Amino acid sequence: MNKLIGLILVLFLVMACKTPEARRPVSHSSGSYIDASIARNKKLNKADEAAIKELMAANPQNEYFTSDKGFWYYYNVKDTTALPTADTGDLVTFDYQINTLDGNPIVTEAELGPQIYQIEQSNQDLISGLKDGLKLMKEGETVTFLLPSHKAFGYYGYEDKIGSNLPIQTRVTLNDIKQSNTEN
């Protein structure tokens, strides 16, 4: 009888020393938040695109081009020579200003100062529309880009000057392209 009690007691102690199992979360995600976010962003993109197309229709004197990166642009000064555009690694010097979509200045060239950017390699905090736009330009050109909010400052805006999710215009003058030395 003592052996049986001892065996039961040892068996009970061994079972009591089992490691605890992790608890599983109670909530189950159905993806409804992601679906709502996608629907909201599609609606926002359509509104941005409609505002930009309305602006283009109101200014037929400009010849507008559509970028495959999701923005529109026109040339203020176009280079008709065969100068190359900037490639990855090239160092570009440019000036730009940020305007509301209807052309009112938000941040001037004087406030921003001359900019230097190494194409696709710089850590400089430029908006994605500007990074993509610089690759389309030749030295000496001035281009106005019409950027939907997702290619501009998006949800965060810009300081206290540009609100959340607003499309903008930015006029850029590409002053210089220093080609990278890729032969080394």
Side-chain angles (χ1 to χ4, degrees):
M1 181 84 157
N2 285 341
K3 286 184 180 183
L4 183 61
I5 293 175
L7 184 62
I8 292 174
L9 188 59
V10 168
L11 188 60
F12 182 71
L13 287 172
V14 168
M15 292 174 71
C17 293
K18 185 174 132 181
T19 58
E21 283 188 36
R23 296 186 319 195
R24 302 284 178 226
V26 176
S27 65
H28 299 284
S29 176
S30 65
S32 62
Y33 173 77
I34 292 172
D35 293 341
S37 179
I38 290 170
R40 185 183 67 241
N41 286 334
K42 283 182 178 180
K43 184 177 175 182
L44 179 64
N45 288 344
K46 278 189 177 193
D48 286 354
E49 186 174 328
I52 290 171
K53 286 186 176 183
E54 184 178 315
L55 175 73
M56 291 188 301
N59 295 289
Q61 70 275 14
N62 298 321
E63 182 182 359
Y64 294 95
F65 299 91
T66 303
S67 164
D68 61 351
K69 299 290 186 176
F71 59 88
W72 296 262
Y73 62 99
Y74 66 90
Y75 290 91
N76 301 85
V77 176
K78 184 171 180 152
D79 183 358
T80 57
T81 63
L83 290 176
T85 58
D87 286 327
T88 300
D90 290 350
L91 198 64
V92 295
T93 305
F94 64 98
D95 296 304
Y96 76 111
Q97 92 173 31
I98 302 168
N99 301 325
T100 61
L101 198 55
D102 57 358
N104 296 320
I106 299 171
V107 185
T108 65
E109 285 183 21
E111 290 176 277
L112 293 167
Q115 302 287 312
I116 298 174
Y117 172 68
Q118 190 169 18
I119 302 292
E120 293 185 12
Q121 295 183 350
S122 180
N123 246 356
Q124 188 174 354
D125 193 23
L126 289 179
I127 56 176
S128 66
L130 188 53
K131 289 178 182 180
D132 293 333
L134 286 168
K135 292 186 267 184
L136 300 172
M137 297 178 69
K138 296 176 183 177
E139 192 174 299
E141 290 183 329
T142 300
V143 177
T144 298
F145 297 101
L146 307 174
L147 304 174
S149 60
H150 70 276
K151 295 302 279 181
F153 295 98
Y155 175 77
Y156 295 104
Y158 178 73
E159 297 175 358
D160 292 332
K161 298 180 180 192
I162 300 174
S164 178
N165 297 321
L166 291 177
I168 62 166
Q169 261 190 52
T170 182
R171 191 183 71 232
V172 182
T173 301
L174 185 57
N175 299 319
D176 186 45
I177 299 174
K178 286 192 176 123
Q179 305 217 326
S180 65
N181 188 0
T182 57
E183 295 175 8
N184 289 341

